[in-house]
């Protein structure tokens, strides 16, 4: 049985992880990584810090028997998605994990998924905590942007174009696929659910173009409502234009696919409001990152969300009660 310290050294903060874990040095901004009582980090001069924490609970946010590599990836991805939504550059994370047991095979998979996304996102794991109990992972992420440039939820203006990155409904579709017995991570819907890609580069590219942004974690309607409320505005949606995840209609049917895109949650795409004059630039910047940007409506002065079936609006994310957020 591994001791807590051996476990940390082997999977999270030892020499084997040095490529992904906090390597002290100017480039990483890490003065002290794992190994002391605190991490010591150097923010970039002139930048503000964006800080967010997300907890992922087994059988609430992910199936407890999902592949460990996906659990490691996803726990970090959902946290990084909040940095993307603010237009922040991801820099550091700390991770607290509660484990029912120290299973080597499981831990190796989890660490592989977590560290791979650290590397891909240029994030240093600077510290954490390990405890015993029901499986849960809390990840705190730290990002930066030039002072005053935070991309907030509340900056939308009437007339702004509403646009969404990537495709919608995959989170819900993937959950359905899992329940139907699909276990292959190469399945596009299951990958959308278990291996979401935080839109960090897109968020940074949009920071100076968009008026407002949010990441779609609770479902398009719920998150659009957050954008609207924060700005004191309403919105018109063109539901026919929603970009649906590949394979979604085949699995859920046309109506089910649209509902999943509107209410399903767990998509981790960016929903932005931006002036029409910036749309083409925004589209080009995201195209260079291989991320589609689709116009799905606009913000308006009048309150409420127009263009959506009233029953769907009322049900919101509760439409899918088992998809807790
Ligand atoms: P303390 O008891 O002082 O909180 P810990 O024994 O919890 O210290 O952790 C020892 C060191 O290992 C700390 O620097 C901590 O940041 C690091 N560490 C613990 N758990 C993790 C983890 N899951 N990922 C990365 N570093 C970790
Ligand atoms: Mg501790």
């Amino acid at each position: 049985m591994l001791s807590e310290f051996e476990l940390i050294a082997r999977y999270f903060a030892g020499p084997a992880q040095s490529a992904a874990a906090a390597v002290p040095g100017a480039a990483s901004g890490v003065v002290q990584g794992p190994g002391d009582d605190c991490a010591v980090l150097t923010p970039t001069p002139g930048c503000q810090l964006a800080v967010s924490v997300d907890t992922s609970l087994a059988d609430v946010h992910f199936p407890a028997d999902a592949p460990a590599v996906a659990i490691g990836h996803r726990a970090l991805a959902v946290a990084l998605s909040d940095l993307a939504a603010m237009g922040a550059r991801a820099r550091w994370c700390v991770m607290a994990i509660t484990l029912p047991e120290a299973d080597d095979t499981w831990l190796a998979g989890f660490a592989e998924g977590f560290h791979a996304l650290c590397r891909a996102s240029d994030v240093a794991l600077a510290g954490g905590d390990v405890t015993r109990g029901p499986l849960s992972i809390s990840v705190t992420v730290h990002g930066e942007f030039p002072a005053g440039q935070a991309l907030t939820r509340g900056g939308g203006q009437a007339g702004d174009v509403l646009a969404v990155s990537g495709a919608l409904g995959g989170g819900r579709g993937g959950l359905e696929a899992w329940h139907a017995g699909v276990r292959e991570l190469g399945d596009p819907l299951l990958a959308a659910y278990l291996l979401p890609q935080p839109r960090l580069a897109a968020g940074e590219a949009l920071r100076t173009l968009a008026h407002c942004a949010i990441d779609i974690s609770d479902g398009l309607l719920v998150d659009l409502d957050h954008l609207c409320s924060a700005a004191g505005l309403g919105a018109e949606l063109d539901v026919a234009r929603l970009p649906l995840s590949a394979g979604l209609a085949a699995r859920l049917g046309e109506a089910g696919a649209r509902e999943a895109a509107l209410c399903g949650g767990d998509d981790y795409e960016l929903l932005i409001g931006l002036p029409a004059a910036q749309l083409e630039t925004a589209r080009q910047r995201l195209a260079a990152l291989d991320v589609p940007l689709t116009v799905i409506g606009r913000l308006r002065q009048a309150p409420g969300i127009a263009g959506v079936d009233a029953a769907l609006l009322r049900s919101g994310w509760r439409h899918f009660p088992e998809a807790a957020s």
Side-chain angles (χ1 to χ4, degrees), residues 8-316:
I8 293 168
R10 184 173 303 175
Y11 295 108
F12 299 130
Q17 286 82 42
S18 57
V23 185
S28 69
V30 175
V31 181
Q32 172 66 57
D36 211 317
D37 290 313
C38 290
V40 180
L41 310 169
T42 308
T44 305
C47 281
Q48 290 172 328
L49 286 177
V51 181
S52 175
V53 62
D54 272 288
T55 298
S56 298
L57 288 175
D59 287 333
V60 176
H61 299 102
F62 60 88
D65 54 348
V69 67
I71 296 174
H73 172 101
R74 194 176 189 284
L76 177 58
V78 302
L80 290 174
S81 179
D82 287 316
L83 293 183
M86 299 288 286
R89 166 166 298 174
R91 297 294 313 274
W92 309 290
C93 68
V94 292
M95 181 260 291
I97 185 166
T98 302
L99 291 163
E101 59 183 343
D103 179 290
D104 263 312
T105 308
W106 191 92
L107 277 162
F110 177 89
E112 181 193 332
F114 193 95
H115 291 306
L117 185 57
C118 277
R119 283 190 295 273
S121 309
D122 218 1
V123 170
L125 175 62
D129 197 26
V130 176
T131 50
R132 185 172 295 266
L135 179 60
S136 118
I137 306 109
S138 288
V139 182
T140 301
V141 290
H142 305 75
E144 294 183 320
F145 31 63
Q149 282 193 19
L151 180 53
T152 62
R153 293 182 179 187
Q157 297 177 14
D160 279 355
V161 170
L162 283 170
V164 68
S165 67
L168 298 175
R172 174 67 196 179
L175 180 62
E176 292 277 347
W178 179 268
H179 284 155
V182 177
R183 292 294 181 267
E184 179 47 59
L185 283 176
D187 178 87
L189 289 178
L190 194 59
Y193 171 48
L194 288 179
L195 299 171
Q197 300 301 319
R199 296 300 194 186
L200 287 163
E204 271 198 82
L206 294 167
R207 186 177 62 219
T208 54
L209 298 177
H211 282 155
C212 61
I214 190 169
D215 66 318
I216 301 177
S217 51
D218 292 338
L220 175 65
L221 288 181
V222 172
D223 291 312
L224 173 58
D225 189 52
H226 292 322
L227 272 194
C228 289
S229 310
L233 296 172
E236 288 163 12
L237 268 190
D238 189 348
V239 172
R241 292 171 79 169
L242 296 182
L244 301 179
S245 291
L248 193 63
R251 180 160 287 280
L252 301 181
E254 292 290 338
R258 235 183 345 265
E259 283 182 35
L262 286 166
C263 310
D266 279 338
D267 282 332
Y268 302 102
E269 294 295 348
L270 299 180
L271 172 65
I272 61 168
L274 82 171
Q278 303 284 23
L279 180 61
E280 208 34 57
T281 308
R283 228 201 279 270
Q284 282 168 14
R285 286 191 191 176
L286 265 56
L289 299 168
D290 236 357
V291 178
L293 184 70
T294 307
V295 172
I296 59 167
R298 66 181 196 96
L299 291 171
R300 62 172 192 179
Q301 208 59 254
I305 298 175
V308 182
D309 186 72
L312 274 182
L313 268 185
R314 272 194 307 278
S315 56

